């Protein structure tokens, strides 16, 4: 049974930081490209960042330089460090494996597994 459990979200002021964690079970993170997505109310779920099993990383333009994706294969986990947060970063954040790697940021249909519950990030003064 595949499970994806996101944690680490919360309420922060603009300019603040959070570190999100994704604990995976039922599959091996090291053999998949892994990704963080986010979805704001009324918006499409969008890919934020992905990392391949060889360490190649790509970011959405709006978060590049502020967010950092990483993986810990020994813990079968993926992380997203978020700095200099903005109100427009407010969303529910999800992790997932990708069916394939692409240099182009892919949409939610590229997700390999069923979605977890996500973790809420709210950036507000």
């Amino acid at each position: 049974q595949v499970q994806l459990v996101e944690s680490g979200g919360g309420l922060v002021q603009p300019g603040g930081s959070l570190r999100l964690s994704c604990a995976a079970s039922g599959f091996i993170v090291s053999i998949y490209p892994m990704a963080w997505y986010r979805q704001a109310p009324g918006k499409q779920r969008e890919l934020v960042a992905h990392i391949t099993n060889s360490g190649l990383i790509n970011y959405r333009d709006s978060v590049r330089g502020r967010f950092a994706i990483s993986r810990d294969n020994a813990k079968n986990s993926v992380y997203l460090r978020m700095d200099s947060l903005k109100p427009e970063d407010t969303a529910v954040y999800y992790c997932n494996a990708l069916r394939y790697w692409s240099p182009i940021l892919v949409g939610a249909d590229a997700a390999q597994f069923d979605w977890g519950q996500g973790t809420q990030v709210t950036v507000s003064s």
Side-chain angles (χ1 to χ4, degrees):
Q1 183 72 45
V2 169
Q3 291 188 358
L4 296 163
V5 181
E6 300 93 345
S7 62
L11 174 63
V12 297
Q13 295 186 354
S17 298
L18 288 170
R19 190 186 74 157
L20 308 184
S21 298
C22 171
S25 60
F27 73 99
I28 305 300
V29 162
S30 64
I31 64 173
Y32 288 91
M34 295 295 296
W36 283 95
Y37 290 81
R38 67 185 181 187
Q39 187 168 27
K43 302 293 182 65
Q44 297 264 27
R45 190 166 299 186
E46 63 183 21
L47 193 145
V48 175
H50 70 240
I51 181 169
T52 72
N53 56 0
S54 63
L56 184 64
I57 295 172
N58 200 10
Y59 297 97
R60 189 174 194 86
D61 286 346
S62 61
V63 309
R64 186 175 293 110
R66 300 188 297 118
F67 290 12
I69 188 172
S70 61
R71 68 163 81 221
D72 187 333
N73 292 334
K75 296 181 179 179
N76 213 44
S77 297
V78 185
Y79 306 95
L80 185 69
R81 174 71 182 185
M82 305 185 295
D83 295 319
S84 301
L85 283 162
K86 303 175 180 179
E88 51 263 45
D89 296 318
T90 296
V92 179
Y93 284 71
Y94 304 87
C95 66
N96 217 313
L98 299 178
R99 298 197 308 270
Y100 58 91
W101 178 86
S102 172
I104 301 171
L105 295 181
V106 296
D109 288 347
Q112 177 70 63
F113 302 113
D114 291 342
W115 300 99
Q117 292 298 305
T119 185
Q120 176 72 50
V121 172
T122 302
V123 185
S124 176
S125 59

